[in-house]
């Protein structure tokens, strides 16, 4: 990723201005058809990618149990603006999110990050069972053929 982008962790410290800016970014990009969903999602933002003062990408997530594994994960999502979908930006957002939660995973009571590859290109292009990006491991597919993957934190243990 080019150095012109900055990743800012906002989890548990997001400001009202950042929320307003994220909502404006999502609206401009048409990320949500329902503003109520956007207002709920903004409370789940973990990190933002910025180019100068402009938000160009966002990661968010919620903690929960993945039933098939009966383990607690962070269910991860990201959105990159149309004009900034360059190689590496999405990965940088994921890496920043992973690194942040890797440090606090015990206090957050989660063992890793759960990702579904909803991006068609990523879903079709990724063939490795275990990726180089934090050993993101294929655990199966959903009913729509979307890859389901997990990345475990360094000190992860099953409950």
């Amino acid at each position: 990723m080019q150095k012109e982008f900055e990743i800012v962790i906002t989890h548990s410290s997001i400001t009202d201005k950042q929320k307003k800016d994220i909502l404006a970014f999502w609206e401009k990009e048409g990320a949500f058809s329902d503003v109520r969903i956007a207002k709920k999602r903004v409370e789940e933002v973990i990190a933002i990618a910025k180019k100068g003062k402009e938000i160009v990408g966002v990661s968010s997530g919620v903690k929960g149990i993945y039933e098939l594994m009966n383990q607690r994960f962070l269910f991860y999502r990201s959105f990159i603006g149309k004009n900034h979908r360059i190689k590496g930006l999405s990965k940088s957002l994921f890496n920043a999110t992973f690194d942040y939660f890797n440090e606090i995973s015990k206090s957050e009571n989660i063992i890793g990050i759960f990702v579904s590859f909803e991006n068609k290109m990523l879903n079709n292009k990724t063939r490795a069972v275990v990726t180089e990006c934090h050993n993101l491991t294929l655990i199966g597919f959903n009913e729509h053929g979307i890859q389901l993957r997990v990345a475990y934190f360094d000190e992860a243990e099953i409950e």
Side-chain angles (χ1 to χ4, degrees), residues 7-148:
I7 307 294
V8 179
I9 298 293
T10 57
H11 180 254
S12 73
S13 65
I14 191 167
T15 67
D16 288 339
K17 179 172 181 350
Q18 287 170 324
K19 290 178 188 179
K20 181 180 167 193
D21 292 347
I22 292 165
L23 288 168
F25 163 68
W26 282 338
E27 182 178 8
K28 178 182 87 174
E29 294 287 336
F32 296 96
S33 58
D34 186 337
V35 72
R36 293 172 296 185
I37 295 171
K39 286 182 177 179
K40 181 178 182 236
R41 181 75 51 88
V42 78
E43 299 299 329
E44 302 167 356
V45 168
I46 297 163
I48 54 178
K50 297 178 82 175
K51 181 177 181 179
K53 293 184 178 189
E54 177 187 12
I55 293 176
V56 298
V58 176
S59 73
S60 62
V62 294
K63 293 176 275 186
I65 295 175
Y66 180 54
E67 294 296 331
L68 290 176
M69 297 176 78
N70 196 31
Q71 298 298 314
R72 288 181 53 80
F73 288 90
L74 176 75
F75 290 83
Y76 178 84
R77 297 175 300 263
S78 66
F79 181 84
I80 306 296
K82 291 178 192 83
N83 294 331
H84 300 283
R85 293 181 182 159
I86 60 167
K87 184 176 181 170
L89 182 54
S90 182
K91 184 176 179 180
S92 292
L93 260 176
F94 179 83
N95 287 341
T97 301
F98 182 93
D99 292 345
Y100 172 77
F101 277 99
N102 192 40
E103 295 295 319
I104 63 168
S105 62
K106 293 287 186 190
S107 66
E108 294 288 320
N109 193 26
I110 52 179
I111 65 168
I113 295 181
F114 180 98
V115 180
S116 61
F117 280 4
E118 294 180 16
N119 176 300
K120 284 184 180 181
M121 186 183 77
L122 187 61
N123 191 56
N124 294 333
K125 181 180 155 192
T126 306
R127 307 316 309 153
V129 174
V130 179
T131 70
E132 293 177 17
C133 181
H134 290 290
N135 295 320
L136 202 52
T137 303
L138 179 70
I139 60 169
F141 297 86
N142 71 11
E143 64 274 11
H144 304 290
I146 293 174
Q147 293 184 38
L148 306 176

